[in-house]
Amino acid sequence: MIESQATTDPAIARAYTRTIWAIALGILVQASLTVAWALSIGNTQLLKDGIDWVYDVALYGIAALVFGRDARAERLAALGIATVMAVAGVHTLYDLWDKIVVPRPIEIWTLGFAAGSAIVIALLVIAALWRFRAEQNPVIRATWLSSRNDAISTTGFALVGLAARAAPVRWPEYLFDLVVAGLCFQATWAIWRSLRRGPDGQASQADLRNGPQTGQAGGL
């Protein structure tokens, strides 16, 4: 069960709530700007990269909403995260099909921007949550560990994704998309399984933070 805010220092709880909402809002602004730029230049791949940020916004938003609530809220949050991951997986497979049907030109500058912005945001998120790294509240702990891991995985994913997209052949990019979609569906299945097996239908905190991203900044 998620601990209530009463077990966390009120000042820390308020600071965490403001921080997590700021992270969600900041990523939303980044996503909006990326999508606007992609539409203005007609770049389909950059458009997908911008839309992918929406999943991170949803995941951090769920963390903000569930913080300080009860086990029922935890269960609903787990279902919400599982749904977000499933949609992200379907979106990735649809984009893969679309790029196979209509091959896209390689634009190294926009692809480099997408990879670079993913790394920068991952580092900014871990910097914002650094002050909460010693807190034991499950939600705070989950988002801190997630941001710490994402700072590593996002850097690797961004660089591998950029290399795959810029390769002279297209199959590395397609393989990378399949891996990302598989991670999304694996997270969905892990969360759903934990909900079915958990005591009284409660999800474990480990699976609440098992939310791989779709190639952008990290999820929960």
Side-chain angles (χ1 to χ4, degrees):
M1 179 183 296
I2 289 181
E3 299 174 8
S4 67
Q5 288 190 21
T7 63
T8 304
D9 182 271
I12 294 295
R14 288 193 297 270
Y16 174 78
T17 301
R18 289 194 297 268
T19 300
I20 206 70
W21 278 118
I23 289 172
L25 180 59
I27 297 177
L28 178 60
V29 170
Q30 164 67 13
S32 300
L33 292 175
T34 301
V35 168
W37 183 25
L39 291 174
S40 68
I41 63 176
N43 189 303
T44 306
Q45 184 60 65
L46 186 62
L47 178 62
K48 180 192 179 291
D49 289 338
I51 293 175
D52 279 347
W53 286 111
V54 173
Y55 303 117
D56 295 282
V57 174
L59 292 175
Y60 280 108
I62 289 172
L65 290 172
V66 77
F67 177 58
R69 298 183 183 275
D70 56 18
R72 182 173 181 274
E74 180 185 24
R75 178 178 172 81
L76 291 175
L79 288 172
I81 291 173
T83 301
V84 169
M85 287 295 97
V87 172
V90 172
H91 180 207
T92 300
L93 290 179
Y94 170 79
D95 185 72
L96 172 59
W97 172 82
D98 184 63
K99 70 176 67 171
I100 291 175
V101 173
V102 184
R104 301 167 186 172
I106 296 173
E107 299 181 23
I108 194 66
W109 291 110
T110 52
L111 296 180
F113 167 79
S117 60
I119 294 172
V120 169
I121 287 181
L123 295 177
L124 289 175
V125 169
I126 196 173
L129 293 175
W130 180 264
R131 63 177 293 192
F132 306 107
R133 67 189 184 281
E135 294 297 321
Q136 295 306 308
N137 178 282
V139 177
I140 297 178
R141 191 69 179 162
T143 49
W144 158 250
L145 291 174
S146 176
S147 69
R148 184 195 64 183
N149 295 341
D150 285 347
I152 299 172
S153 63
T154 295
T155 300
F157 259 50
L159 295 178
V160 170
L162 175 61
R165 291 176 179 177
V169 291
R170 306 317 295 265
W171 67 262
E173 178 184 0
Y174 301 158
L175 179 61
F176 180 75
D177 284 346
L178 286 175
V179 170
V180 172
L183 289 174
C184 291
F185 293 132
Q186 183 275 331
T188 299
W189 174 243
I191 295 172
W192 173 251
R193 214 172 33 167
S194 75
L195 287 172
R196 295 191 58 168
R197 294 186 311 186
D200 300 324
Q202 295 176 24
S204 69
Q205 281 300 322
D207 281 326
L208 273 176
R209 56 177 178 266
N210 183 14
Q213 55 188 329
T214 59
Q216 303 299 338
L220 293 179

